[in-house]
Structure formats: C-alpha cells, structure tokens
Amino acid sequence: MTAALPAPTAAAAAPSRWWRDAVIYQVYVRSFADSDGDGVGDLPGITARLPHLAALGVDAVWLTPFYASPQADGGYDVADYREVDPLFGTLADADRLIATAHEHGLRVIVDVVPNHTSDRHAWFRGALAGGPERDLYHFRPGKGTDGQLPPNDWESVFGGPAWTRTTDPDGTPGDWYLHLFAPQQPDLNWENPAVHAEFDSILRFWLERGVDGFRVDVAHGMVKAPGMPDIGAREQAKMIGSQVLPFFDQDGVHAVHRNWRRLLESYGGERIGVAEAWAPSPERLALYVRPDELHQAFNFQFLGCPWDAEAMRAVVDASLAAAGSVGAPTTWVLSNHDVVRHLSRYGAGDDALGLRRARAAALLMLALPGSAYLYQGEELGLPEVTDLPDEVRQDPSFFRTDGQDGLRDGCRVPIPWEGEEAPYGFGTAAGWLPQPASWRSLSVAAQTGDADSTLELYRRALRLRKELDGLGDGGMRWQQSPPGLLDLVRPGFRCTLNTGPLPVQLPRPGSLLLSSAHLAADGETITLPADSCAWWAI
Ligand code: NOJ
C-alpha cells in the first residue's frame, strides 16, 4: 500500500504542489463497481475497489456527481448538494470512501455543479410556485403576441431551445426559464449573491468532510452576457470551444473562480479546483488557471487532436506555452464520460488499430510535463460500445436530438473486473448498460500478470513516471525527427512516437524502458513499429 496522506488539516508542511504532475483517475460512479446488486455502481463499491487504483499507481480519484438527483443527466442535475443519492449510498459511505482513499495515499476530488440545479431542487420548486427563489434562476417573458416564443435564440447544448415555458399556478402559460442543458437543469442566476453564498457553503461542506478538491462542471458557463443577446446563428453547440458565446466563457466567471481559490486556500492540505471549461483557445483557457484562480483546467484541445504527429506537437506546444504563461501546470486528457473513448476515435472502426494507437497515446501523455487524467477503463483498453439498443440509453441529448447526437452512453458501460460472464465482477446483477461479451478477456483479473496487457502497460508506465527523476512537472524539448514521428527529450529520458502507417528505423535512442509494441533491434538500429511509442533512458 502507498503511504497514507497526512490529514488535510495537519500543520502546514512545505507545499508539495502535488497537482502539478498528479495522475488523476476519473471514476464514473454509476459504472465502476456495484456493491448492492442493483446494477448501478455506488460508493461502497468504489471503496472496495480502491486497492486497484492504488496498485495502478494514480495519485488521486475524481468522482462524478453522487448527490441526490433525479438522474435526468447522470447526476449532473443535483437536487441536494449535501446529500448522497440513495442509488449511490449514504453520507457515511462518502466519509468512508474519502478516509479509505486517504489511507491508500489517494486524494479525492468531487464534482461541483454550479451552472444549474435539478428542476427538483427546493429552490426551483419554490421558484415555480412563484416564490422569491425566482430570482435565483433566469425567468423571462416570452416574445411574440402571447409570449409564445422563447426570449432569445439560444440553443441547449443537448439540442432544441435553451428555454422552456412554465405554467403559472392558475394553469395559464407563464414565463420561460433558461436551461443551457436539459430542461431538468435550470441555469442559476449568478448575479444573485445568494447563489454565491450557497455554493461557498456547499464547498465548505465537502472540504470539511475531507475532499481534496473539486472538478468544476461548466466552469465557463455561470455568467451570461448582459441583456442575453441573440446569437443569430443555428447549431450553436458546434460553436462551443471555438468562440466566446453570450452564455459561455464570459469574463465575469473569473470573479467566481478567484473567490473559490481564496476559499480553497483557507483550508490546509493543498485542496484544488479543476475547471471543466470549454474555451476557444489555449490562451483563453489559461485565464481559468491564473495564480489566483483554479489550479488546473482540462485540456480538451489535446483530447480533440487527431492521430498525427505534427498536430500533436502543435497542441502540446500551444498548451505548454499558454499554461506556462500564467505559471500553471498543463493537463492532458484523452477520454472522459462525455466523449467517444479514444481507442475508438483513433481506430475509426478498427479496434485493433485503435488499441495500438491508444496504448501509444497513453505513453505520450504520461511522458509530457504536467498532470494527466485517466478515464476508468482506458487502462483496460476498453473500446466504445457502439451497439447499445436505444431502449437502454439514458443520455438526455440522445432523446433531444432524435438519436442524432448524444451517444455518450457508449463510453459509460460498466467496467469488467473478473469472471467469465457479464457483469464480470461489476456487481451481482446485470449492469445498467449491457457489457459486450468480448470484455471477458479485458477484465482487470484477465489482464493482471500478462506483461503484454494494456493494464500492465499502464501500471509500468505509472511506476516509471514516479521513479524517473524529472518526469512529471518540468521542462521538455523536441528533438528533430522525420515526418510522422515525435521525439521528446526530458532530463535523462526520451520518448519516441510513430504515428505513421509504416515502421521506422532509428539509431537506438537510449536504453529501452517501456514500449507500447514489440520493438525489433539490429545492433544500434531499432525499428519503431507503426502506431507505437517507446520510452528510453538516456
Ligand atoms: C459536463 C459534464 O461532464 C456532462 O456530463 C454534463 O452533461 C454537462 N456538464 C452538464 O452538467
């Protein structure tokens, strides 16, 4: 077992700035491990499986929302931020999970969802009943002769208008309310100081229970442009991440993050905030991680980068330059619960090709300076599940776009732990989404001890990353390399990546530490196979 963490409130030692090179493992709570046989993952299930994460060698765990919620959007619709949903356990289970993780030397990051609540939250129910809570949300009269048209042209990220009309207590059509996501997720009005006060209090509630930080959902969304102007264009979801919109990446959000940084620092133990922010450029993303704002932001440019050495080099350089300009660490992420798993993105229909690339990409990511996020199951080489029947799907955007979009269930299938038959140790009953039969050979037990398995590749990479001086936070440079290749040099270390379709011969770069595929050597010449990556000691 790894050394237990010091109690977060212990007298301040010299800061470790642990987050600057931490490897953080995302647990999608409903799909990790089910302890009570209802087919849905839960907190006690995670606690029981923490030894897997300690043995894997990650530094921290990020848990997706497990709060009281009607589950209209996988728990990102919170009805009570201080309660655990009975589906996932109890507050005592959360306390046990946090304490056990700390005993294993793992920090715990939880999600906070400040852009919107559930429509079942007491505030929104009060608002619908005409109470003073109305000003905690965005209610507006509609346009048109009878107010029958939405107040502006904003579209929901999940498809359709971002406004839903309410019915007044007397049964007549009333005002509209804003929801940038599903109608069950009304947006909060961050112009109202009561919203700020409530979220300060929620953060304190979880900090006092011992969490080490927060992943801030839609950290770019809380503040809307004054007057909520029309955008004048359709398909606005496609504009997210490429331009500032009147509802996303408004400068006003930074005041909220500055306040939270002060709050986090008022607690001992180096608690952190991580922005889930979709910003149009690395430079605008860097604004979220200025020294007085959040500690990290997800680097979605890296996630979105095609399998191409030149493109990857450009993203790495731009990311390092932007984060470095404000003194923040860069983060790297390849998959999460909202996107097609990277194995399947890289494979484009060919899972064997995708796996080779995914293994190579993991070694590149873990060789880069900064902090890396792993999404549960990527250490097993899980592909996206593309043939889920419509009747088992739960992603709200699937239903709001007639199945055109919102295929996020395929990356959320419960992960396989052991055994010959589904649910492969996930629990005792069938999981909430069916697992493919091919996952029998991908379980943790099936891969453990197999030196060629993806799980053992991740374990060795994470161990080496800790052992090698100079990996993690720190500098890097590129060595000149032929097209299709990346050759990254760090103190005592070199990483060579071949994204091309053909093997490439190279003078031996150093002594081999680890590779994603078998390398052939002939004297001082080595052959780096297509779609492979190798680590070298130099
Ligand atoms: C981002 C979360 O990752 C996603 O799952 C969720 O649907 C939206 N934010 C809305 O909360």
Side-chain angles (χ1 to χ4, degrees):
M1 188 190 288
T2 346
L5 292 171
T9 44
S16 66
R17 305 190 343 140
W18 65 274
W19 69 90
R20 293 192 63 95
D21 61 358
V23 177
I24 301 176
Y25 184 99
Q26 179 188 356
V27 168
Y28 191 68
V29 173
R30 58 169 48 230
S31 302
F32 193 67
D34 168 21
S35 74
D36 59 4
D38 65 356
V40 178
D42 49 44
L43 300 186
I46 299 167
T47 305
R49 293 291 188 182
L50 286 172
H52 167 67
L53 301 182
L56 182 60
V58 300
D59 303 295
V61 182
W62 150 36
L63 305 171
T64 51
F66 49 81
Y67 317 111
S69 160
Q71 306 293 321
D73 181 23
Y76 283 95
D77 48 320
V78 182
D80 186 340
Y81 292 81
R82 297 181 186 79
E83 273 302 338
V84 173
D85 196 285
L87 196 56
F88 302 126
T90 61
L91 266 182
D93 292 330
D95 291 341
R96 256 190 301 278
L97 194 168
I98 296 166
T100 312
H102 288 165
E103 282 165 22
H104 282 284
L106 297 166
R107 298 189 194 251
V108 179
I109 292 173
V110 295
D111 239 293
V112 62
V113 187
N115 180 68
H116 43 264
T117 66
S118 159
D119 61 348
R120 309 278 178 82
H121 190 285
W123 276 2
F124 195 70
R125 290 211 305 257
L128 284 187
E133 295 90 346
R134 249 178 127 71
D135 192 52
L136 302 170
Y137 296 90
H138 298 284
F139 283 87
R140 296 283 185 281
K143 286 187 175 158
T145 41
D146 299 317
Q148 76 279 24
L149 299 172
N152 70 17
D153 69 357
W154 294 3
E155 292 169 356
S156 151
V157 175
F158 290 159
W163 298 89
T164 289
R165 194 164 195 189
T166 58
T167 306
D168 285 339
D170 66 1
T172 57
D175 285 347
W176 299 67
Y177 68 89
L178 178 70
H179 53 86
L180 293 180
F181 295 89
Q184 297 91 336
Q185 294 167 295
D187 278 51
L188 284 163
N189 171 18
W190 278 82
E191 300 294 320
N192 189 318
V195 175
H196 292 250
E198 173 65 354
F199 274 89
D200 283 3
S201 157
I202 292 165
L203 296 192
R204 289 184 187 284
F205 178 86
W206 288 103
L207 288 167
E208 275 152 30
R209 299 195 99 84
V211 305
D212 300 283
F214 299 94
R215 176 263 192 196
V216 182
D217 188 62
V218 198
H220 55 308
M222 287 98 93
V223 173
K224 278 65 181 179
M228 297 194 171
D230 280 341
I231 292 175
R234 302 297 312 275
E235 305 217 339
Q236 294 158 14
K238 294 196 178 139
M239 298 156 81
I240 299 167
S242 63
Q243 57 188 277
V244 175
L245 292 167
F247 52 74
F248 276 164
D249 199 28
Q250 290 290 308
D251 290 336
V253 294
H254 295 288
V256 178
H257 301 315
R258 274 195 283 275
N259 173 43
W260 286 357
R261 176 67 175 245
R262 281 193 298 273
L263 194 153
L264 289 166
E265 287 186 348
S266 71
Y267 285 78
E270 298 183 85
R271 324 285 184 106
I272 68 164
V274 185
E276 187 237 3
W278 290 86
S281 66
E283 291 73 28
R284 280 202 70 87
L285 186 64
L287 300 179
Y288 290 79
V289 288
R290 286 177 284 191
D292 60 348
E293 295 201 30
L294 300 178
H295 297 73
Q296 296 185 336
F298 291 111
N299 183 352
F300 295 125
Q301 309 258 347
F302 185 67
L303 183 153
C305 185
W307 184 250
D308 172 79
E310 274 313 307
M312 286 169 145
R313 191 197 332 247
V315 167
V316 168
D317 287 344
S319 309
L320 289 172
S325 72
V326 292
T330 315
T331 65
W332 311 105
V333 60
L334 291 166
S335 281
N336 65 32
H337 65 292
D338 290 331
V339 298
V340 172
R341 284 185 176 275
H342 59 275
L343 183 152
S344 302
R345 293 199 317 267
Y346 291 147
D350 177 346
D351 278 358
L353 173 70
L355 179 61
R356 287 198 297 279
R357 291 179 171 176
R359 288 166 59 96
L363 289 197
L364 172 70
M365 171 168 81
L366 294 171
L368 291 166
S371 172
Y373 277 80
L374 309 183
Y375 176 51
Q376 68 179 36
E378 74 171 74
E379 80 279 21
L380 305 176
L382 295 189
E384 183 81 1
V385 179
T386 51
D387 57 357
L388 289 172
D390 288 358
E391 56 276 13
V392 301
R393 291 186 178 278
Q394 297 207 5
D395 184 352
S397 59
F398 180 76
F399 301 101
R400 281 181 61 87
T401 57
D402 292 331
Q404 295 307 300
D405 198 353
L407 299 175
R408 299 182 302 172
D409 291 309
C411 64
R412 299 175 176 180
V413 173
I415 64 171
W417 290 94
E418 66 222 354
E420 301 299 305
E421 281 172 22
Y424 305 114
F426 167 69
T428 50
W432 66 283
L433 289 174
Q435 300 154 302
S438 57
W439 283 19
R440 184 168 68 102
S441 59
L442 295 178
S443 74
V444 173
Q447 296 196 39
T448 295
D450 172 357
D452 290 335
S453 72
T454 302
L455 176 57
E456 295 296 354
L457 179 76
Y458 269 76
R459 285 178 175 159
R460 287 202 303 274
L462 291 169
R463 198 164 49 237
L464 277 168
R465 188 178 148 101
K466 282 217 168 75
E467 284 167 13
L468 291 170
D469 264 355
L471 273 198
D473 205 6
M476 60 153 278
R477 67 183 168 78
W478 301 113
Q479 190 96 316
Q480 205 164 9
S481 53
L485 246 66
L486 290 182
D487 190 351
L488 177 164
V489 182
R490 310 199 55 196
F493 175 86
R494 205 157 151 189
C495 169
T496 48
L497 173 77
N498 181 6
T499 62
L502 297 174
V504 177
Q505 292 199 324
L506 295 174
R508 182 186 291 279
S511 105
L512 184 66
L513 292 167
L514 186 61
S515 60
S516 66
H518 288 287
L519 304 191
D522 181 6
E524 282 312 293
T525 302
I526 61 106
T527 303
L528 194 59
D531 301 309
S532 75
C533 185
W535 286 7
W536 310 89
I538 54 172

